[in-house]
Each structure stands twice: as C-alpha cells, then as structure tokens.
Coordinates of all heavy atoms in Angstrom, one line a residue:
M132 N 0.8 -1.2 0.0 CA 0.0 0.0 0.0 C 0.9 1.2 0.0 O 1.8 1.4 0.8 CB -0.9 0.0 1.2 CG -1.6 1.3 1.5 SD -2.6 1.5 3.0 CE -3.0 -0.1 3.5
P133 N 0.7 2.2 -0.9 CA 1.5 3.4 -0.9 C 1.2 4.2 0.3 O 0.2 4.1 0.9 CB 1.1 4.1 -2.2 CG -0.1 3.4 -2.7 CD -0.3 2.1 -2.0
G134 N 2.2 5.1 0.6 CA 2.1 6.0 1.7 C 2.2 7.4 1.2 O 2.9 7.7 0.2
Y135 N 1.4 8.3 1.7 CA 1.3 9.7 1.2 C 1.6 10.7 2.3 O 1.0 10.6 3.4 CB 0.0 10.0 0.6 CG -0.4 9.1 -0.6 CD1 -1.0 7.9 -0.4 CD2 0.1 9.4 -1.8 CE1 -1.3 7.1 -1.4 CE2 -0.2 8.6 -2.9 CZ -0.9 7.4 -2.7 OH -1.1 6.6 -3.7
M136 N 2.6 11.6 2.1 CA 2.8 12.7 3.0 C 2.1 13.9 2.4 O 2.3 14.2 1.3 CB 4.3 12.9 3.1 CG 5.1 11.8 3.7 SD 6.8 12.2 3.7 CE 7.0 12.5 5.5
I137 N 1.2 14.5 3.2 CA 0.5 15.6 2.8 C 0.8 16.8 3.7 O 0.7 16.7 4.9 CB -1.0 15.3 2.8 CG1 -1.4 14.1 2.0 CG2 -1.9 16.5 2.4 CD1 -2.8 13.6 2.2
F138 N 1.2 17.9 3.1 CA 1.7 19.1 3.8 C 0.9 20.3 3.3 O 0.8 20.5 2.2 CB 3.2 19.3 3.7 CG 4.0 18.4 4.5 CD1 4.4 17.2 4.0 CD2 4.3 18.7 5.8 CE1 5.2 16.3 4.8 CE2 5.1 17.8 6.6 CZ 5.5 16.6 6.1
E139 N 0.5 21.1 4.3 CA 0.1 22.5 4.1 C 1.2 23.4 4.5 O 1.7 23.3 5.6 CB -1.2 22.8 4.9 CG -1.6 24.2 4.9 CD -2.7 24.5 5.9 OE1 -3.4 23.5 6.3 OE2 -2.9 25.7 6.2
I140 N 1.7 24.2 3.5 CA 2.9 25.0 3.7 C 2.7 26.4 3.4 O 2.1 26.8 2.4 CB 4.0 24.4 2.8 CG1 4.3 22.9 3.1 CG2 5.3 25.2 3.0 CD1 5.0 22.2 2.0
E141 N 3.2 27.3 4.3 CA 3.3 28.7 4.0 C 4.8 29.1 4.0 O 5.5 29.0 5.0 CB 2.6 29.5 5.1 CG 2.7 31.0 4.9 CD 2.1 31.8 6.0 OE1 1.6 31.2 7.0 OE2 2.2 33.1 6.0
I142 N 5.3 29.5 2.9 CA 6.7 29.8 2.8 C 6.9 31.2 3.4 O 6.2 32.2 3.0 CB 7.2 29.8 1.3 CG1 7.1 28.4 0.8 CG2 8.6 30.3 1.2 CD1 7.3 28.2 -0.7
T143 N 7.8 31.3 4.3 CA 8.1 32.6 5.0 C 9.4 33.2 4.6 O 9.6 34.4 4.8 CB 8.1 32.4 6.5 OG1 9.0 31.4 6.9 CG2 6.7 32.0 7.0
D144 N 10.3 32.4 4.0 CA 11.6 32.9 3.5 C 12.0 32.1 2.3 O 12.4 31.0 2.4 CB 12.7 32.7 4.6 CG 14.1 33.2 4.3 OD1 14.4 33.2 3.1 OD2 14.8 33.5 5.2
Q145 N 11.8 32.8 1.1 CA 12.0 32.1 -0.1 C 13.4 31.6 -0.3 O 13.6 30.5 -0.9 CB 11.6 33.0 -1.3 CG 11.5 32.3 -2.7 CD 10.5 31.2 -2.7 OE1 9.3 31.4 -2.3 NE2 10.8 30.1 -3.3
T146 N 14.4 32.4 0.1 CA 15.8 31.9 -0.1 C 16.1 30.7 0.7 O 16.7 29.7 0.2 CB 16.7 33.1 0.4 OG1 16.5 34.2 -0.5 CG2 18.2 32.7 0.2
A147 N 15.6 30.7 2.0 CA 15.8 29.5 2.8 C 15.0 28.3 2.3 O 15.5 27.2 2.4 CB 15.4 29.8 4.3
W148 N 13.9 28.6 1.7 CA 13.0 27.5 1.1 C 13.8 26.8 0.0 O 13.8 25.6 -0.2 CB 11.7 28.0 0.7 CG 10.8 27.0 0.1 CD1 10.5 26.8 -1.2 CD2 10.1 26.0 0.8 NE1 9.7 25.7 -1.4 CE2 9.4 25.2 -0.1 CE3 10.0 25.6 2.1 CZ2 8.6 24.1 0.2 CZ3 9.3 24.5 2.5 CH2 8.6 23.8 1.5
E149 N 14.4 27.6 -0.9 CA 15.2 27.1 -2.0 C 16.4 26.2 -1.5 O 16.7 25.2 -2.1 CB 15.6 28.2 -2.9 CG 14.5 28.9 -3.7 CD 13.6 27.9 -4.5 OE1 14.1 27.0 -5.1 OE2 12.4 28.2 -4.5
E150 N 17.0 26.7 -0.4 CA 18.1 25.9 0.2 C 17.6 24.6 0.7 O 18.2 23.5 0.5 CB 18.7 26.7 1.3 CG 19.5 27.9 0.9 CD 20.0 28.7 2.1 OE1 20.5 28.0 3.1 OE2 20.0 29.9 2.1
Y151 N 16.4 24.6 1.4 CA 15.8 23.4 1.9 C 15.5 22.4 0.8 O 15.8 21.3 0.9 CB 14.5 23.8 2.7 CG 13.6 22.6 2.9 CD1 13.9 21.6 3.9 CD2 12.5 22.5 2.2 CE1 13.1 20.5 4.0 CE2 11.6 21.4 2.4 CZ 12.0 20.4 3.3 OH 11.1 19.3 3.5
R152 N 14.8 22.9 -0.2 CA 14.4 22.1 -1.4 C 15.7 21.4 -2.0 O 15.6 20.3 -2.5 CB 13.6 22.9 -2.4 CG 12.2 23.2 -1.9 CD 11.5 23.8 -3.0 NE 11.7 23.1 -4.3 CZ 10.8 23.0 -5.2 NH1 9.7 23.6 -5.2 NH2 11.1 22.3 -6.3
A153 N 16.7 22.2 -2.2 CA 17.9 21.7 -2.8 C 18.5 20.5 -2.0 O 19.1 19.6 -2.6 CB 19.0 22.8 -2.9
V154 N 18.3 20.4 -0.7 CA 18.8 19.3 0.1 C 17.8 18.2 0.2 O 18.1 17.1 0.1 CB 19.2 19.8 1.5 CG1 19.6 18.7 2.4 CG2 20.4 20.9 1.4
A155 N 16.5 18.6 0.5 CA 15.5 17.6 0.8 C 15.0 16.9 -0.4 O 14.7 15.7 -0.3 CB 14.3 18.3 1.5
A156 N 14.9 17.5 -1.6 CA 14.3 16.9 -2.8 C 15.1 15.6 -3.2 O 14.5 14.6 -3.4 CB 14.2 17.8 -3.9
P157 N 16.5 15.7 -3.2 CA 17.2 14.4 -3.6 C 17.0 13.3 -2.5 O 17.0 12.2 -2.9 CB 18.7 14.9 -3.7 CG 18.6 16.4 -3.8 CD 17.4 16.8 -3.2
L158 N 17.0 13.7 -1.2 CA 16.7 12.7 -0.2 C 15.4 12.0 -0.4 O 15.3 10.8 -0.3 CB 16.8 13.4 1.2 CG 18.1 14.0 1.6 CD1 17.9 14.7 2.9 CD2 19.2 12.9 1.7
M159 N 14.4 12.8 -0.7 CA 13.0 12.3 -1.0 C 13.1 11.3 -2.1 O 12.5 10.2 -2.1 CB 12.0 13.4 -1.2 CG 10.6 12.9 -1.4 SD 9.5 14.3 -1.9 CE 10.0 14.5 -3.6
A160 N 13.7 11.7 -3.2 CA 13.7 10.9 -4.4 C 14.5 9.6 -4.2 O 14.0 8.5 -4.6 CB 14.4 11.7 -5.6
D161 N 15.6 9.7 -3.4 CA 16.3 8.5 -3.1 C 15.5 7.5 -2.3 O 15.8 6.3 -2.3 CB 17.6 8.9 -2.3 CG 18.7 9.5 -3.2 OD1 18.5 9.5 -4.5 OD2 19.6 10.1 -2.7
A162 N 14.6 8.0 -1.5 CA 13.7 7.2 -0.7 C 12.5 6.7 -1.4 O 11.6 6.0 -0.8 CB 13.3 7.9 0.6
G163 N 12.4 7.0 -2.7 CA 11.3 6.5 -3.5 C 10.1 7.5 -3.5 O 9.0 7.1 -4.0
G164 N 10.2 8.7 -3.0 CA 9.2 9.7 -3.0 C 9.1 10.4 -4.3 O 10.1 10.7 -4.9
R165 N 7.8 10.8 -4.6 CA 7.6 11.6 -5.8 C 6.4 12.5 -5.6 O 5.4 12.1 -4.9 CB 7.4 10.7 -7.1 CG 6.1 9.9 -7.1 CD 6.0 9.1 -8.3 NE 4.8 8.4 -8.3 CZ 3.7 8.7 -9.1 NH1 3.9 9.7 -10.0 NH2 2.6 8.0 -9.1
F166 N 6.5 13.7 -6.1 CA 5.4 14.7 -5.9 C 4.2 14.3 -6.8 O 4.4 14.0 -8.0 CB 5.8 16.1 -6.3 CG 6.6 16.8 -5.2 CD1 8.0 17.0 -5.4 CD2 6.0 17.3 -4.1 CE1 8.7 17.6 -4.4 CE2 6.7 18.0 -3.1 CZ 8.0 18.2 -3.3
L167 N 3.1 14.2 -6.2 CA 1.8 14.1 -6.9 C 1.2 15.5 -7.1 O 0.5 15.8 -8.1 CB 0.9 13.1 -6.3 CG 1.3 11.7 -6.1 CD1 0.2 10.9 -5.5 CD2 1.7 11.1 -7.5
V168 N 1.3 16.3 -6.0 CA 0.8 17.6 -6.0 C 1.8 18.5 -5.3 O 2.3 18.2 -4.3 CB -0.6 17.7 -5.2 CG1 -1.1 19.1 -5.1 CG2 -1.6 16.8 -5.9
N169 N 2.0 19.7 -5.9 CA 2.8 20.7 -5.3 C 2.3 22.0 -5.9 O 2.8 22.5 -6.9 CB 4.3 20.5 -5.6 CG 5.2 21.4 -4.7 OD1 4.8 21.8 -3.7 ND2 6.4 21.6 -5.2
S170 N 1.3 22.6 -5.2 CA 0.6 23.7 -5.8 C 0.2 24.8 -4.8 O -0.2 24.5 -3.7 CB -0.7 23.2 -6.5 OG -1.4 24.2 -7.1
A171 N 0.3 26.0 -5.3 CA -0.2 27.1 -4.5 C -1.6 27.6 -5.0 O -2.1 28.6 -4.6 CB 0.8 28.3 -4.6
N172 N -2.2 26.8 -5.8 CA -3.5 27.1 -6.4 C -4.6 26.2 -5.9 O -5.2 25.4 -6.5 CB -3.5 27.0 -7.9 CG -2.5 27.9 -8.5 OD1 -2.4 29.1 -8.2 ND2 -1.7 27.4 -9.5
A173 N -5.0 26.4 -4.6 CA -6.1 25.7 -4.0 C -7.4 26.4 -4.1 O -7.4 27.6 -3.8 CB -5.7 25.4 -2.5
E174 N -8.4 25.7 -4.5 CA -9.7 26.3 -4.6 C -10.6 25.7 -3.6 O -10.9 24.5 -3.6 CB -10.3 26.0 -6.0 CG -11.7 26.5 -6.2 CD -12.2 26.2 -7.6 OE1 -11.4 25.9 -8.5 OE2 -13.5 26.2 -7.7
P175 N -11.1 26.4 -2.6 CA -11.9 25.8 -1.5 C -13.3 25.4 -2.1 O -13.9 26.1 -2.9 CB -12.1 27.0 -0.5 CG -11.8 28.2 -1.3 CD -10.9 27.9 -2.4
L176 N -13.7 24.2 -1.7 CA -15.0 23.7 -2.1 C -16.0 23.7 -1.0 O -17.1 23.9 -1.2 CB -14.8 22.2 -2.7 CG -13.9 22.1 -3.9 CD1 -13.7 20.6 -4.3 CD2 -14.5 22.9 -5.1
E177 N -15.5 23.4 0.2 CA -16.3 23.4 1.4 C -15.5 24.0 2.6 O -14.3 23.8 2.7 CB -16.7 21.9 1.8 CG -17.6 21.3 0.7 CD -18.0 19.9 1.2 OE1 -18.0 19.6 2.4 OE2 -18.4 19.1 0.3
G178 N -16.2 24.7 3.4 CA -15.5 25.3 4.6 C -14.7 26.5 4.1 O -14.8 27.0 3.0
N179 N -13.8 26.9 5.0 CA -13.0 28.1 4.7 C -11.5 27.7 4.6 O -10.7 28.6 4.9 CB -13.3 29.2 5.7 CG -12.9 28.7 7.1 OD1 -12.5 27.6 7.4 ND2 -13.2 29.6 8.1
W180 N -11.2 26.5 4.3 CA -9.8 26.1 4.2 C -9.1 26.6 2.9 O -9.5 26.1 1.8 CB -9.7 24.6 4.3 CG -8.3 24.0 4.4 CD1 -7.2 24.6 5.0 CD2 -7.8 22.8 3.8 NE1 -6.1 23.8 4.9 CE2 -6.4 22.7 4.1 CE3 -8.4 21.9 3.0 CZ2 -5.6 21.7 3.7 CZ3 -7.6 20.8 2.6 CH2 -6.2 20.7 2.9
I181 N -8.2 27.5 3.0 CA -7.5 28.0 1.9 C -6.0 28.0 2.2 O -5.4 29.0 2.6 CB -7.9 29.5 1.5 CG1 -9.4 29.6 1.4 CG2 -7.2 29.9 0.2 CD1 -10.0 31.0 1.2
P182 N -5.4 26.8 2.0 CA -4.0 26.7 2.3 C -3.1 27.5 1.3 O -3.4 27.6 0.1 CB -3.7 25.2 2.2 CG -4.8 24.7 1.2 CD -5.9 25.6 1.5
P183 N -2.0 28.1 1.8 CA -1.1 28.8 0.9 C -0.5 27.9 -0.1 O -0.3 28.3 -1.3 CB 0.0 29.3 1.9 CG -0.6 29.2 3.2 CD -1.6 28.1 3.2
M184 N -0.2 26.6 0.3 CA 0.4 25.7 -0.7 C 0.1 24.3 -0.1 O 0.2 24.1 1.1 CB 1.9 25.9 -0.8 CG 2.6 25.0 -1.9 SD 4.3 25.4 -2.3 CE 5.1 24.7 -0.9
I185 N -0.1 23.3 -1.0 CA -0.3 21.9 -0.7 C 0.7 21.1 -1.4 O 1.0 21.3 -2.6 CB -1.7 21.5 -1.1 CG1 -2.8 22.1 -0.2 CG2 -1.9 19.9 -1.0 CD1 -2.8 21.6 1.2
S186 N 1.3 20.2 -0.7 CA 2.2 19.2 -1.3 C 1.7 17.8 -0.9 O 1.4 17.5 0.2 CB 3.7 19.3 -0.8 OG 4.2 20.5 -1.3
V187 N 1.7 16.9 -1.9 CA 1.4 15.5 -1.7 C 2.5 14.7 -2.3 O 2.8 14.9 -3.5 CB 0.0 15.1 -2.3 CG1 -0.2 13.6 -2.1 CG2 -1.1 16.0 -1.8
V188 N 3.2 13.9 -1.5 CA 4.3 13.1 -1.9 C 3.9 11.7 -1.7 O 3.5 11.3 -0.6 CB 5.6 13.5 -1.1 CG1 6.7 12.6 -1.6 CG2 5.9 14.9 -1.3
E189 N 4.1 10.9 -2.8 CA 3.8 9.4 -2.7 C 5.1 8.7 -2.5 O 6.1 8.9 -3.2 CB 3.1 9.0 -4.0 CG 2.8 7.5 -4.0 CD 2.2 7.1 -5.4 OE1 2.9 7.3 -6.4 OE2 1.1 6.5 -5.3
F190 N 5.0 7.7 -1.6 CA 6.1 6.8 -1.4 C 5.6 5.3 -1.6 O 4.4 5.1 -1.6 CB 6.6 6.9 0.1 CG 7.4 8.1 0.4 CD1 6.7 9.3 0.7 CD2 8.7 8.1 0.3 CE1 7.4 10.4 1.0 CE2 9.5 9.2 0.6 CZ 8.8 10.4 0.9
P191 N 6.5 4.4 -1.9 CA 6.0 3.0 -2.2 C 5.2 2.4 -1.0 O 4.4 1.6 -1.3 CB 7.3 2.3 -2.4 CG 8.4 3.3 -2.7 CD 7.9 4.6 -2.0
S192 N 5.4 2.9 0.2 CA 4.7 2.3 1.3 C 4.7 3.4 2.5 O 5.5 4.3 2.5 CB 5.3 1.0 1.8 OG 6.6 1.3 2.3
I193 N 3.8 3.1 3.5 CA 3.9 4.0 4.6 C 5.2 3.8 5.3 O 5.8 4.8 5.8 CB 2.7 3.6 5.6 CG1 1.4 4.1 5.0 CG2 2.9 4.3 7.0 CD1 0.2 3.7 5.8
E194 N 5.7 2.6 5.4 CA 7.0 2.4 6.0 C 8.1 3.2 5.3 O 9.0 3.7 6.0 CB 7.3 0.9 6.0 CG 6.4 0.1 6.9 CD 5.0 -0.2 6.3 OE1 4.9 -0.1 5.0 OE2 4.1 -0.5 7.0
A195 N 8.1 3.2 4.0 CA 9.1 4.0 3.3 C 9.0 5.4 3.6 O 10.1 6.1 3.7 CB 9.0 3.7 1.8
A196 N 7.8 5.9 3.7 CA 7.6 7.4 4.0 C 8.1 7.7 5.4 O 8.8 8.7 5.6 CB 6.2 7.7 3.9
R197 N 7.8 6.8 6.4 CA 8.3 7.0 7.8 C 9.8 6.9 7.8 O 10.5 7.7 8.5 CB 7.7 5.9 8.7 CG 6.4 6.3 9.3 CD 6.1 5.4 10.4 NE 4.6 5.4 10.6 CZ 3.8 4.4 10.3 NH1 4.2 3.3 9.7 NH2 2.5 4.6 10.5
E198 N 10.4 5.9 7.1 CA 11.9 5.8 7.1 C 12.5 7.1 6.6 O 13.5 7.5 7.1 CB 12.3 4.6 6.3 CG 12.0 3.3 7.0 CD 12.3 2.1 6.1 OE1 13.0 2.2 5.1 OE2 11.8 1.0 6.5
F199 N 11.9 7.6 5.5 CA 12.4 8.9 4.9 C 12.4 10.0 6.0 O 13.3 10.6 6.3 CB 11.7 9.2 3.7 CG 11.8 10.7 3.3 CD1 13.0 11.2 2.8 CD2 10.7 11.6 3.5 CE1 13.1 12.6 2.5 CE2 10.8 12.9 3.2 CZ 12.0 13.4 2.7
Y200 N 11.2 10.2 6.5 CA 10.9 11.3 7.4 C 11.8 11.2 8.7 O 12.4 12.1 9.2 CB 9.5 11.4 7.9 CG 9.2 12.6 8.7 CD1 8.9 13.8 8.0 CD2 9.2 12.6 10.0 CE1 8.7 15.0 8.7 CE2 9.0 13.7 10.8 CZ 8.7 14.9 10.1 OH 8.5 16.1 10.8
D201 N 12.0 9.9 9.2 CA 12.8 9.7 10.4 C 14.3 9.6 10.2 O 15.0 9.5 11.2 CB 12.2 8.5 11.1 CG 10.8 8.6 11.7 OD1 10.4 9.8 11.9 OD2 10.2 7.6 11.9
S202 N 14.7 9.5 8.9 CA 16.1 9.3 8.7 C 16.9 10.5 9.2 O 16.5 11.6 9.2 CB 16.3 9.2 7.1 OG 16.2 10.4 6.5
P203 N 18.1 10.2 9.7 CA 19.0 11.3 10.2 C 19.3 12.4 9.1 O 19.3 13.6 9.4 CB 20.3 10.6 10.6 CG 19.8 9.2 10.9 CD 18.7 8.9 9.9
A204 N 19.4 12.0 7.9 CA 19.6 12.9 6.8 C 18.5 13.9 6.6 O 18.7 15.1 6.5 CB 19.9 12.2 5.5
Y205 N 17.2 13.4 6.6 CA 16.1 14.3 6.5 C 15.9 15.1 7.8 O 15.6 16.3 7.7 CB 14.8 13.6 6.1 CG 13.7 14.6 5.8 CD1 13.8 15.4 4.7 CD2 12.7 14.7 6.7 CE1 12.8 16.4 4.5 CE2 11.7 15.7 6.5 CZ 11.8 16.5 5.4 OH 10.8 17.5 5.2
Q206 N 16.0 14.5 8.9 CA 15.8 15.2 10.2 C 16.8 16.4 10.3 O 16.4 17.4 10.8 CB 16.0 14.2 11.4 CG 14.9 13.3 11.6 CD 13.6 14.0 12.0 OE1 13.5 14.7 12.9 NE2 12.5 13.7 11.2
A207 N 17.9 16.3 9.7 CA 18.9 17.4 9.7 C 18.4 18.6 8.8 O 18.9 19.7 9.0 CB 20.3 16.9 9.1
T208 N 17.4 18.4 8.0 CA 16.9 19.5 7.2 C 15.8 20.2 7.9 O 15.4 21.3 7.4 CB 16.4 19.0 5.8 OG1 15.1 18.3 6.0 CG2 17.4 18.1 5.1
L209 N 15.2 19.7 8.9 CA 14.0 20.3 9.5 C 14.2 21.7 10.1 O 13.3 22.5 10.0 CB 13.4 19.3 10.6 CG 12.9 18.0 10.0 CD1 12.3 17.2 11.2 CD2 11.9 18.2 8.9
A210 N 15.4 21.9 10.6 CA 15.7 23.3 11.1 C 15.6 24.3 10.0 O 15.1 25.4 10.2 CB 17.0 23.3 11.9
L211 N 16.2 23.9 8.9 CA 16.1 24.8 7.7 C 14.7 25.0 7.2 O 14.3 26.1 6.9 CB 17.0 24.3 6.6 CG 17.1 25.1 5.3 CD1 17.5 26.5 5.6 CD2 18.0 24.4 4.3
R212 N 13.9 23.9 7.2 CA 12.5 24.0 6.8 C 11.8 24.9 7.7 O 10.9 25.7 7.3 CB 11.9 22.6 6.7 CG 10.5 22.7 6.0 CD 9.8 21.4 6.0 NE 9.2 21.2 7.3 CZ 8.9 20.0 7.8 NH1 9.1 19.0 7.1 NH2 8.4 19.9 9.0
G213 N 12.1 24.8 9.0 CA 11.5 25.7 10.0 C 11.8 27.1 9.8 O 10.9 28.0 10.1
R214 N 13.0 27.4 9.4 CA 13.3 28.9 9.1 C 12.7 29.3 7.8 O 12.4 30.5 7.6 CB 14.8 29.0 9.0 CG 15.6 28.9 10.3 CD 17.0 29.4 10.2 NE 17.8 28.8 9.2 CZ 18.5 27.7 9.2 NH1 18.5 27.0 10.4 NH2 19.2 27.2 8.2
A215 N 12.4 28.4 6.9 CA 11.8 28.8 5.6 C 10.3 28.8 5.5 O 9.8 29.5 4.6 CB 12.4 27.8 4.5
S216 N 9.6 28.1 6.4 CA 8.2 28.0 6.3 C 7.5 27.6 7.6 O 8.2 27.3 8.6 CB 7.9 26.8 5.3 OG 8.3 25.6 5.8
R217 N 6.2 27.7 7.5 CA 5.3 27.2 8.6 C 4.4 26.2 7.9 O 4.0 26.3 6.7 CB 4.5 28.3 9.2 CG 5.2 29.3 10.1 CD 4.2 30.2 10.8 NE 3.6 31.1 9.8 CZ 4.1 32.3 9.6 NH1 5.2 32.8 10.1 NH2 3.5 33.1 8.7
G218 N 4.0 25.2 8.7 CA 3.1 24.2 8.0 C 2.6 23.1 8.9 O 3.0 23.0 10.1
R219 N 1.8 22.2 8.4 CA 1.3 21.1 9.0 C 1.4 19.9 8.1 O 1.3 20.1 6.8 CB -0.1 21.2 9.4 CG -0.4 22.4 10.4 CD -1.8 22.5 10.8 NE -2.6 23.0 9.7 CZ -3.9 23.1 9.8 NH1 -4.6 22.8 10.9 NH2 -4.6 23.5 8.7
G220 N 1.7 18.7 8.6 CA 1.8 17.6 7.7 C 1.2 16.3 8.3 O 1.1 16.2 9.6
I221 N 0.7 15.4 7.5 CA 0.2 14.1 7.9 C 0.7 13.0 7.0 O 1.2 13.3 5.9 CB -1.3 14.1 7.9 CG1 -1.9 14.4 6.5 CG2 -1.9 15.1 9.0 CD1 -3.4 14.2 6.4
L222 N 0.7 11.8 7.5 CA 1.0 10.6 6.7 C -0.2 9.8 6.7 O -0.8 9.5 7.7 CB 2.2 9.9 7.4 CG 2.6 8.5 6.8 CD1 3.0 8.6 5.4 CD2 3.7 7.9 7.7
V223 N -0.6 9.4 5.4 CA -1.8 8.5 5.3 C -1.4 7.4 4.3 O -0.5 7.5 3.5 CB -3.0 9.3 4.7 CG1 -3.4 10.3 5.7 CG2 -2.7 9.9 3.4
G224 N -2.1 6.3 4.5 CA -2.0 5.1 3.6 C -3.0 5.2 2.5 O -4.1 5.8 2.6
G225 N -2.6 4.7 1.3 CA -3.5 4.7 0.2 C -4.0 3.4 -0.1 O -3.7 2.4 0.6
L226 N -4.8 3.3 -1.2 CA -5.4 2.0 -1.6 C -4.4 1.4 -2.6 O -3.8 2.1 -3.4 CB -6.7 2.2 -2.2 CG -7.8 2.8 -1.3 CD1 -9.1 3.0 -2.1 CD2 -8.1 1.8 -0.2
T227 N -4.4 0.1 -2.6 CA -3.6 -0.6 -3.6 C -4.4 -0.6 -4.9 O -5.6 -0.5 -4.9 CB -3.3 -2.1 -3.2 OG1 -4.6 -2.8 -3.1 CG2 -2.5 -2.2 -2.0
P228 N -3.7 -0.7 -6.1 CA -4.4 -0.6 -7.4 C -5.6 -1.6 -7.5 O -6.6 -1.3 -8.0 CB -3.3 -0.8 -8.4 CG -2.1 -0.3 -7.7 CD -2.3 -0.7 -6.3
S229 N -5.4 -2.8 -6.9 CA -6.4 -3.8 -7.0 C -7.7 -3.4 -6.2 O -8.8 -3.7 -6.7 CB -5.9 -5.2 -6.6 OG -5.5 -5.1 -5.2
V230 N -7.5 -2.8 -5.1 CA -8.6 -2.3 -4.3 C -9.3 -1.2 -5.0 O -10.6 -1.1 -5.1 CB -8.2 -1.9 -2.9 CG1 -9.3 -1.2 -2.1 CG2 -7.6 -3.0 -2.1
V231 N -8.6 -0.3 -5.6 CA -9.2 0.8 -6.4 C -10.0 0.3 -7.5 O -11.2 0.7 -7.7 CB -8.1 1.8 -6.9 CG1 -8.7 2.9 -7.8 CG2 -7.4 2.5 -5.7
A232 N -9.5 -0.7 -8.3 CA -10.2 -1.2 -9.4 C -11.5 -1.9 -9.0 O -12.5 -1.8 -9.6 CB -9.3 -2.2 -10.2
K233 N -11.4 -2.6 -7.9 CA -12.6 -3.3 -7.3 C -13.7 -2.4 -6.9 O -14.9 -2.5 -7.2 CB -12.2 -4.2 -6.2 CG -13.3 -5.1 -5.6 CD -12.7 -6.0 -4.5 CE -13.8 -6.9 -4.0 NZ -13.3 -7.8 -3.0
E234 N -13.3 -1.3 -6.2 CA -14.2 -0.3 -5.7 C -14.9 0.5 -6.9 O -16.0 0.9 -6.8 CB -13.6 0.7 -4.8 CG -13.3 0.1 -3.4 CD -12.7 1.1 -2.5 OE1 -12.5 2.3 -2.8 OE2 -12.5 0.7 -1.3
T235 N -14.2 0.7 -8.0 CA -14.8 1.4 -9.1 C -15.7 0.6 -10.0 O -16.5 1.1 -10.7 CB -13.7 2.1 -10.0 OG1 -12.9 1.0 -10.5 CG2 -12.9 3.1 -9.2
T236 N -15.6 -0.7 -9.8 CA -16.5 -1.6 -10.6 C -17.7 -2.1 -9.8 O -18.6 -2.8 -10.4 CB -15.7 -2.8 -11.1 OG1 -15.2 -3.6 -10.0 CG2 -14.6 -2.4 -12.1
T237 N -17.8 -1.8 -8.5 CA -18.9 -2.3 -7.7 C -19.9 -1.2 -7.5 O -19.7 0.0 -7.7 CB -18.5 -2.9 -6.4 OG1 -17.7 -1.9 -5.7 CG2 -17.7 -4.1 -6.6

C-alpha cells in the first residue's frame, strides 16, 4: 500500500526554502518519494480552508515514508525548513491498485 505525506505549507523565507528544497528533494527521491501535487492554487470547495500551498508526496509504502521522514539525513533538514516555512503535515496510507479497481466496478 502506498504512503502519502500531505503538507500544508506557508513559505516565509523564499531563499531558505530554496536551500531546503535543494537538500530535501534528492533525499526524498532516493527514498522513492515523488510529488503528486505541489501547488499554490487551492480552490476551496467546502468550509474556509485556503492553504497557501499543498504538497502531496507518494512513497512506495507507509514504512518507506516513515523511514524517509525519520532518517537522520532528512531530520537534519528540519531546522532549515522551520526557518523557511510554517506548516502542518500528515502521513496516510492509500489503496492498492487492485482495491481501487474493485471499488470502481462495484
């Protein structure tokens, strides 16, 4: 089952953000992560949630996502991310392709 890291992000220092991305993006890719969504164009449909930016990163599994997030190399980037932005993040599991196919045919 894939794992998804979903973050709501407000960039507060663009220069520090670029430094963070330059370090964090290769670590994420090496761990099997890939962006599915990375957008500042959120359109509210219900409620008043208007996030400045949303990122959704897919990993091969929840375990792979946790290993990436908890790795010493990524943990070392968190101070820089904290200087560059404010945000909230969650980790969720997804459906396997066979479950998705079954649900769409029933």
Side-chain angles (χ1 to χ4, degrees):
M132 171 188 332
Y135 299 91
M136 296 177 103
I137 303 170
F138 284 89
E139 172 185 341
I140 302 164
E141 177 186 1
I142 298 170
T143 56
D144 181 332
Q145 189 64 44
T146 301
W148 181 254
E149 293 304 323
E150 290 176 40
Y151 162 75
R152 286 184 47 150
V154 175
L158 296 173
M159 182 187 76
D161 288 347
R165 68 183 184 105
F166 280 105
L167 296 181
V168 176
N169 192 22
S170 178
N172 298 316
E174 178 182 339
L176 298 175
E177 295 182 22
N179 61 0
W180 185 37
I181 306 172
M184 184 169 81
I185 290 288
S186 289
V187 178
V188 180
E189 180 183 53
F190 286 85
S192 66
I193 290 177
E194 293 77 20
R197 273 195 202 106
E198 286 174 17
F199 159 73
Y200 188 84
D201 292 338
S202 71
Y205 184 69
Q206 287 293 305
T208 72
L209 295 182
L211 180 55
R212 190 184 76 200
R214 287 194 309 272
S216 66
R217 287 188 289 268
R219 300 183 288 177
I221 59 172
L222 172 61
V223 298
L226 298 175
T227 60
S229 61
V230 172
V231 172
K233 186 175 183 179
E234 287 185 356
T235 59
T236 60
T237 57

